[in-house]
Amino acid sequence: MIGVQGCGILSFNSQDRTVSEAWDDSTIRLKLSQDFLLHDSGVLDGIESLVYQKDVVLVGSVPNEEMKREAGKIAKQVNGVNKVWNEISVGVEYFTDYISDGITEKKIKASLIMDDKIKVENYVIRVFKGVLYILGSASGPKELSRLKYYVDQFSLRDAKYFVKFGSRDKKI
């Protein structure tokens, strides 16, 4: 048990956010999941929230524009959220898309992990309907350029980057 806990702490230390900030992000993500699950319509429970440094990207699909707007409104009302990008698509998600997206996402993450100049811990990555969403923090334009190089190796419909620049000195 001690070894597992130690690995978790090491993982947080390599990120450009503190343990407290990572906790805040997890709390926001959990609250969003709960709010979407408990929504009267029942159609928001499939929405996924990517959260990094209190910024949120919403991905998933809903049956109509009204539900998309409702999901964005709910996200903006969650305590602590700085900014919300509503990338929810209107329409149906097919199981085959889900499987294909999951495989592509794993391959992208694996390729990024192999590059020691990319701090993959600083990114939340999701592929949905052939579109890659990346939320996080790059040390600078060179790191983002390297990340984009790897992403370009995959056949994606699009890639959307919600990335801030600059790591900061951290106190542990």
Side-chain angles (χ1 to χ4, degrees):
M1 187 70 156
I2 292 172
V4 172
Q5 288 175 339
C7 291
I9 291 170
L10 290 174
S11 175
F12 281 124
N13 287 343
S14 66
Q15 294 184 23
D16 284 340
R17 59 182 174 171
T18 65
V19 173
S20 176
E21 289 170 327
W23 177 265
D24 290 344
D25 289 347
S26 294
T27 302
I28 288 169
R29 188 168 185 258
L30 181 62
K31 176 66 172 142
L32 286 167
S33 295
Q34 178 184 25
D35 289 353
F36 292 149
L37 179 65
L38 297 175
H39 188 268
D40 293 337
S41 71
V43 299
L44 300 181
D45 65 338
I47 295 172
E48 185 172 352
S49 308
L50 310 179
V51 183
Y52 190 85
Q53 294 180 340
K54 298 184 180 181
D55 290 340
V56 176
V57 176
L58 301 176
V59 296
S61 62
V62 294
N64 57 53
E65 285 290 333
E66 182 182 338
M67 289 291 101
K68 178 179 177 174
R69 283 190 299 276
E70 181 69 15
K73 181 179 169 187
I74 289 169
K76 289 175 183 174
Q77 292 175 349
V78 170
N79 189 34
V81 169
N82 290 333
K83 183 166 179 104
V84 176
W85 290 278
N86 190 341
E87 295 293 320
I88 297 170
S89 64
V90 175
V92 179
E93 177 185 14
Y94 297 101
F95 184 72
T96 53
D97 292 334
Y98 177 78
I99 296 297
S100 176
D101 289 343
I103 291 168
T104 302
E105 184 177 311
K106 297 288 186 228
K107 288 179 179 179
I108 291 169
K109 287 178 181 178
S111 68
L112 297 177
I113 288 171
M114 301 307 288
D115 188 325
D116 64 350
K117 293 189 177 21
I118 296 175
K119 290 177 76 177
V120 72
E121 302 86 3
N122 290 335
Y123 302 97
V124 182
I125 298 170
R126 178 73 164 98
V127 177
F128 184 77
K129 290 190 173 187
V131 178
L132 174 68
Y133 299 92
I134 298 180
L135 173 65
S137 175
S139 61
K142 284 184 180 180
E143 182 179 336
L144 183 58
S145 179
R146 290 181 74 87
L147 187 135
K148 287 181 177 184
Y149 167 79
Y150 289 106
V151 168
D152 288 345
Q153 307 307 308
F154 295 88
S155 298
L156 296 163
R157 283 189 21 229
D158 197 5
K160 297 188 177 188
Y161 299 85
F162 305 89
V163 177
K164 297 176 184 177
F165 286 122
S167 59
R168 55 199 153 98
D169 295 330
K170 296 186 320 189
K171 297 183 171 95
I172 300 174

